[in-house]
Amino acid sequence: SLICATCAMSRWRSKAASAGKDTVASATRAAAPPAAGPGPGPAPQAVERFFATAPPVKTLLPGFVHLPRVITDEGQRALVNLAVEAAEVNGKSHGWWRVEGTDKQLNDGTKARYWDEMSNLRPHHATMLQQMCEQILAIIVQQCPQLQSWAEMQPRVAAFNYYTRRGRMNWHVDDTNFAAPGRPIVMASFGLPARFGYGPAGQEKDVVLETGDVIAFGGAQRDLRHALLEVFGTDAGPMPSTLQGRVSITWRDVGAENGYPCGSNERLGLQPGPGTLPRYRSKGKGKGGYAGERRRAPNGVMYTQQEFQSFFGGLKEWREAGQ
């Protein structure tokens, strides 16, 4: 039988328990307004049904584990639909989407990033994410007692990434302002398979993540260098027909005390504010354009200046598109 995931984060649950959760409506439905608009959401359902029976936990490195196909098909559909709903608000820039007039583009070229504090999500989304993370941690701790301290994780920020087949994430180490030191990082993968690279420079390894897989790293591997090397394959599993790629959901225990700046809507300039990075702040349309500006290419797609250079080989087309 599955583990009852009550061993972690009871403090957060006491705050969120009254909010309902569900498996989320179809991904093709128009997304509702943000959390402030709707009510508490549909009636709750147990998340234990979303997990495989007796799932294995594979140790890739001390402090880095892989749970193959730990989330069932039903659970995958529920979480993908949740991510799609959370990452879109019709008619304005939000989540994965940068909207300029009638143009709607992924906010990071061939991929899209969206993160926010779980308290800012719709209550039934936050509750479901909370309980899924608890269950994952309980499975890991039961099979890897040396990771018992992971049960103390309190996921406060959820990150939803979407990758097209060309989407990648360069080699990096997660900053402490995006994941607290001493706390694990938990990620679930859905849709097309992906090659996840890890390890120090010159000693890189990789693992293929299939739909329904989970990885987590912390402790000795909290500063694990990693990258999303490749998205491949043809079977996108639970992904809706309009988004045939890969989705990841990552849980992070981080807050203002760690220097956490703000959600991605503000950070990436979709909804500009004090925390918006300089490169996404509008500075007025001059000859070179402003940071984050997109212009329409001959193929009808909106691209940034950097993407014009990458795809068309120079700035001639960029300047012509601005005329």
Side-chain angles (χ1 to χ4, degrees):
S1 61
L2 287 170
I3 307 157
C4 179
T6 59
C7 63
M9 296 155 285
S10 60
R11 182 161 59 112
W12 191 98
R13 178 178 284 191
S14 67
K15 182 171 70 173
S18 60
K21 66 178 188 304
D22 74 336
T23 62
V24 189
S26 168
T28 59
R29 187 187 70 188
Q45 298 182 24
V47 299
E48 286 82 357
R49 61 194 282 188
F50 295 156
F51 288 87
T53 303
V57 177
K58 297 182 178 181
T59 298
L60 301 180
L61 293 171
F64 179 30
V65 296
H66 176 207
L67 289 68
R69 296 287 294 187
V70 65
I71 301 176
T72 64
D73 291 347
E74 182 183 8
Q76 293 174 43
R77 288 191 296 271
L79 285 169
V80 167
N81 290 343
L82 184 157
V84 171
E85 271 195 358
E88 177 167 5
V89 173
N90 287 344
K92 69 175 184 178
S93 294
H94 167 86
W96 289 339
W97 303 101
R98 194 179 301 275
V99 179
E100 299 177 0
T102 59
D103 294 303
K104 176 181 173 183
Q105 302 289 333
L106 295 175
N107 67 29
D108 197 10
T110 57
K111 64 180 182 297
R113 298 177 290 159
Y114 172 47
W115 70 84
D116 207 344
E117 296 173 62
M118 284 170 52
S119 59
N120 290 335
L121 302 178
R122 277 167 270 187
H124 59 292
H125 287 173
T127 300
M128 182 177 174
L129 289 168
Q130 171 71 22
Q131 295 184 352
M132 291 294 292
C133 188
E134 289 182 1
Q135 185 70 24
I136 291 168
L137 290 169
I139 292 170
I140 292 172
V141 167
Q142 189 200 49
Q143 298 196 38
C144 304
Q146 71 275 19
L147 302 178
Q148 180 65 44
S149 64
W150 288 17
E152 299 172 7
M153 177 185 177
Q154 298 184 35
R156 291 175 283 169
V157 170
F160 309 89
N161 282 4
Y162 170 69
Y163 297 83
T164 67
R165 285 181 172 85
R166 293 192 298 149
R168 306 288 185 270
M169 185 71 78
N170 291 331
W171 289 95
H172 66 284
V173 173
D174 288 337
D175 292 336
T176 55
N177 67 353
F178 201 36
R183 290 288 188 261
I185 297 167
V186 180
M187 184 182 75
S189 187
F190 308 102
L192 291 177
R195 197 173 307 281
F196 183 87
Y198 62 95
Q203 303 178 41
E204 294 91 345
K205 299 180 180 180
D206 63 77
V207 58
V208 172
L209 301 180
E210 303 281 357
T211 187
D213 285 12
V214 169
I215 57 173
F217 54 92
Q221 300 303 326
R222 165 56 188 82
D223 294 331
L224 180 70
R225 179 174 174 267
H226 58 281
L228 198 287
L229 303 174
E230 179 186 14
V231 177
F232 61 95
T234 57
D235 184 1
M239 297 294 294
S241 59
T242 54
L243 292 170
Q244 289 291 288
R246 172 187 181 262
V247 164
S248 66
I249 299 178
T250 306
W251 292 264
R252 298 171 181 272
D253 186 349
V254 68
E257 72 278 10
N258 310 112
Y260 172 75
C262 57
S264 59
N265 283 335
E266 180 176 345
R267 196 69 167 163
L268 303 182
L270 277 70
Q271 298 170 22
T276 300
L277 292 168
R279 64 180 178 272
Y280 294 110
R281 294 177 186 159
S282 296
K283 298 179 181 179
K285 292 187 178 183
K287 184 175 181 180
Y290 59 82
E293 181 186 1
R294 291 172 181 268
R295 297 179 181 177
R296 190 182 302 278
N299 62 4
V301 177
M302 302 290 285
Y303 293 116
T304 64
Q305 180 175 331
Q306 182 178 357
E307 288 169 341
F308 260 87
Q309 289 180 275
S310 298
F311 300 157
F312 300 103
L315 292 178
K316 177 176 180 290
E317 291 83 357
W318 168 259
R319 288 191 290 269
E320 291 176 347
Q323 296 174 356

